[in-house]
Amino acid sequence: MAEDNVNVKPEDGSAASGENEHLNIKVTDNNNEVFFRIRKTTGLKKLMDTFCERQGKSRLAVRFLFDGERVNDADTPQTLGMQDGDILEVVQEQTGGAY
């Protein structure tokens, strides 16, 4: 099982008290685990793009889930109520449903 540590940096350098608090988030697709250190206010799109790029996956082919709910590009760890050590799951996108 491959392990990577990746820092995802925010868009701006704001250092307001409490806003620059970092979390360690594990992203796993059951074959690989990548650990990210990310600010609570940074959009998760950066994290998801970085994971897919490093694993050679298309963003259109996978979904990211936190506590069973789909994670959107505009979500941040703060809006999802994430805490240090939380896990994002990566699952294969599935379409269809009719015979």
Side-chain angles (χ1 to χ4, degrees):
M1 192 175 323
E3 282 191 27
D4 267 330
N5 286 318
V6 180
N7 286 329
V8 177
K9 295 183 179 172
E11 293 83 21
D12 63 6
S14 65
S17 177
E19 284 187 24
N20 66 350
E21 189 175 336
H22 288 86
L23 298 176
N24 293 303
I25 307 290
K26 179 168 85 170
V27 182
T28 181
D29 64 2
N30 290 326
N31 293 321
N32 301 296
E33 294 178 342
V34 182
F35 294 87
F36 290 89
R37 186 166 195 256
I38 185 170
R39 288 186 178 182
K40 286 185 173 184
T41 55
T42 299
L44 290 171
K45 179 183 186 314
K46 287 180 139 186
L47 179 147
M48 295 185 290
D49 288 344
T50 301
F51 179 84
C52 287
E53 182 181 309
R54 289 185 172 250
Q55 300 303 318
K57 296 179 184 287
S58 166
R59 274 292 306 275
L60 300 174
V62 296
R63 289 189 185 237
F64 289 80
L65 305 175
F66 175 64
D67 285 344
E69 298 292 323
R70 185 174 184 177
V71 175
N72 297 306
D73 287 350
D75 289 332
T76 67
Q78 189 171 41
T79 61
L80 295 176
M82 296 179 88
Q83 297 183 7
D84 195 50
D86 278 344
I87 299 171
L88 279 182
E89 296 176 82
V90 183
V91 295
Q92 193 70 31
E93 175 75 59
Q94 294 183 359
T95 57
Y99 311 152

